[in-house]
Structures are given as C-alpha cells and as structure tokens.
Amino acid sequence: MKYLLIENANVVFENCIRRSHILIHNNLICDTDYSGELPEKCEVYDAQGAYVSPGFIDIHLHGGGGADFMDCTEAAFKAISEVHLKNGTTTMVPTAVSSDFSDIIKLCDVYRKCMSACPNFYGIHLEGPYLSVAMKGAHNEKYLHSPTTEECELLLTHGRGIIKRITAAPELDNMEFFAKKMCDNGIHLSVGHSDATSEVALKAFDNGFSHITHLYNVTPGVRKVGQQVKAGIVEAAYLNDDVTVELIADGKHVAADAFRLAVKIKGTDKVCMVSDALRPAGTDEKISYLGEKIPENLVIIEDGVAKLPDRTRFAGSVATSAMMLHQGVKLFGFSVCDAVRMMTSTPARILGMSDRGSLHRGKLADLCVFGEDLEIRAVIKNGKVL
C-alpha cells in the first residue's frame, strides 16, 4: 500500500490551473484535491508552487538518445524510452519509418520483448510503407507501395494488439480494402504523406481514416491539378469536424500563424502536438540517420531541425516533449493550459487511451512537474518519482 502526496502544486487541469494537493495510491491517482491526514508511510513531494500536469503523450516519434526504432534492438528501444521519459514523455507510440517489410515484422517482435522494460510505450505507429511517392518527404522511395492482401494478413498476425495506428496515403490502390481490414481490427488510420485531393480525403474519412499525420507537412492544400484548381488534405481536414490533426511542434516544421489557425478552426480538443523526433533528439549530434544507419538515410542537424543533406527537405525533428511545451507557450503563444491539453488529453482521446491524459481519480499516476520557466523539474511515472 504505497502512497505519494504531491503538495503545493499549481495543478494543470483540462480547463483551469488551481493550487491543490494530489494523492497517489500505488500507480493511480486517488484524489486531486486532498486535504485529509497523511496515510501511513506516505511519501511527500513538495512541488513548491511548480506546475503539475498529466504526463505528456507523444503519438509520433522515431527515436532519440542516438537510437532509432528501426535499429530493432532492445538496447535502442530502452535508450529511446529513457531519453524521452526524462523529458516528460510518460506515454509514447514508437513509430516506424518506411522500410523493408521484414524489418517491420522484426520491429513488432522486438517491441514485444521490450514492453515491460519500457513502461512509457503504447503500441506501434507504422508511418509507411503505404505512402505517396510524390509526397515521400524523407522516406526512401524504394520501399513505398500500395498495400497487398498478404501484407494485411501479416500485419494483423504479427502486429495484433500492438500496432495502434497506421499512416497511409488513401489514393493508393487497394486502400479501401486495407482501411476496412485495419479498422475492423481496431487500428487507427491517419492520412499522411499523401497527394490526395479533398474529394479523395473526404471519402477516406468515410472509409475509416480519422486523423491527419503532421498537418501542413506533405499534406498538400489547394493546388492546380491539370487545368483545375483542387482543394487538398488541409481543406478536407478543416471541412470535417470529426477529423483530428497532429502538428509537429518543434517550432521549425510549422509556421506559428499556421499552427494557430489550425487550433482556431479545429480547437485544442482536435489538435495534438507531436515531435516526429529522430535519433538525435536529446543529443548534440550534428549528423545522423533516418531509420537504418546507411548512407542513403543520412540527415544533418542544422538550425535545430533534421534536414536531408542537400537541404531540400526537413527530415523530422530533434524535439522532446519538454521542447514542445516551451514552443507551445513561448513561440505559438498558447496558454499553459492549452499547450498541455494538446500534449495530454487530446492525444489520449485520439488513440482511445481512457486510463491517462488527464488528472482525475482512477487515472494512471503519470505526471510532469515544471516551473514558470517551463523547464521539467520531475517526472512521475506509475506513481514513482523519477
């Protein structure tokens, strides 16, 4: 029977910030406004007036601490888990970059081995290989293709219960069949790295897609197709009130006004922040790799963002949740409450994480403590101060 009392905290609830005390029993929150006597053998953490929020949730990141999930080793998985956990990410969805299909299967196998050692993991996100060549971004074109029936079955066999979300381009062949199979098995589908017009995207929403991966980044808007002006994915996302979106919140990938526009149109309950972090996140590396460490996957770190060596495209970020919190408040101009919501309750709601993302009785005791300077002071995972 382990108790932890967090006292003297400015607690960040979904719609307000209030001075309060939080009582934790084992790994669950049991009171967010505790005023009784201390339970026997209760540990006390004095927040000294700092903010205490739910632990941050990042549903799209590829690596950190010098490791990438496509390294497919237990050591790499643990390194990524640890560097992001200490930066406030108490829940993350490991993301695979487009690669050989055998590596995706291997990724699933390694994930299963690491589940207990990496307590902040919450399933796998496949970003590819079902992406548009025209909107490949930094993904390796040789791996991109339409889904096949055989691959659908392999994903559902090897990834059962652990593949939580898939980013795909809905204009590809066989995509309606793929979408139905994935949705029938509870896998969240997102439009991304797609050249779809608004007509195609809106139809995809009817077929089970419900989210946009890194809006504004290889998700084109209005453009000329042949001799006709067509709306695109951005407009489709704004037209459908139910569709949620994620934006890379490193301060480099999305212009501040564009980020604020998305929030103005969709609301903070439909917009979440993601890092899209690569292996150099949490390090000082200036040269790194997207996915496997081979020459064709080389990226450079410059101006605080990962780029292809020819500087024609960004290739992911070097952000952590701690950095996103800072950018959300200082660069994009959101209140602490709104920034935290887009990093906690909103991503939790998007992926159906009913046990976390907000500070309520019975929720997992995953919390972050940070000061007025927005620097992380402590992370609490499953009721333990790290």
Side-chain angles (χ1 to χ4, degrees), residues 118-258:
C118 302
N120 53 346
F121 283 5
Y122 188 89
I124 289 172
H125 168 209
L126 300 184
E127 189 183 19
Y130 312 125
L131 309 178
S132 161
V133 171
M135 292 293 151
K136 64 184 179 181
H139 287 250
N140 193 323
E141 181 176 332
K142 74 179 182 181
Y143 296 121
L144 306 185
H145 61 278
S146 299
T148 66
T149 301
E150 180 185 7
E151 287 181 353
C152 284
E153 296 304 323
L154 286 171
L155 288 177
L156 295 175
T157 299
H158 289 273
R160 187 170 301 278
I162 60 171
I163 294 177
K164 297 295 185 181
R165 62 174 300 214
I166 297 176
T167 291
E171 70 271 24
L172 298 184
D173 293 338
N174 210 31
M175 191 51 73
E176 285 191 31
F177 167 80
F178 177 80
K180 185 176 189 311
K181 290 287 285 186
M182 296 303 114
C183 288
D184 286 348
N185 284 273
I187 295 173
H188 178 270
L189 292 180
S190 179
V191 175
H193 288 274
S194 166
D195 199 27
T197 62
S198 58
E199 293 95 331
V200 173
L202 289 167
K203 184 178 180 182
F205 301 153
D206 291 336
N207 291 332
F209 284 81
S210 60
H211 185 73
I212 309 297
T213 295
H214 46 51
L215 186 73
Y216 300 128
N217 297 115
V218 286
T219 57
V222 174
R223 62 199 184 279
K224 202 170 184 182
V225 179
Q227 296 302 306
Q228 287 187 308
V229 175
K230 295 282 188 178
I233 295 167
V234 174
E235 291 75 29
Y238 288 157
L239 284 170
N240 189 309
D241 292 339
D242 296 325
V243 168
T244 55
V245 302
E246 66 185 55
L247 288 90
I248 301 174
D250 64 342
K252 303 294 181 179
H253 279 76
V254 179
D257 284 345

Side-chain angles (χ1 to χ4, degrees), residues 362-383:
K363 298 277 189 177
L364 280 178
D366 291 356
L367 302 96
C368 284
V369 182
F370 55 93
E372 289 283 352
D373 58 1
L374 305 178
E375 295 294 322
I376 302 293
R377 294 187 183 177
V379 178
I380 298 167
K381 175 64 184 173
N382 292 330

Side-chain angles (χ1 to χ4, degrees), residues 337-372:
C337 214
D338 283 348
V340 167
R341 186 183 303 116
M342 289 187 281
M343 298 172 66
T344 57
S345 60
T346 299
R349 194 178 302 113
I350 288 170
L351 285 192
M353 303 175 187
S354 59
D355 62 346
R356 67 195 76 190
S358 60
L359 300 178
H360 291 102
R361 183 173 182 172
K363 298 277 189 177
L364 280 178
D366 291 356
L367 302 96
C368 284
V369 182
F370 55 93
E372 289 283 352

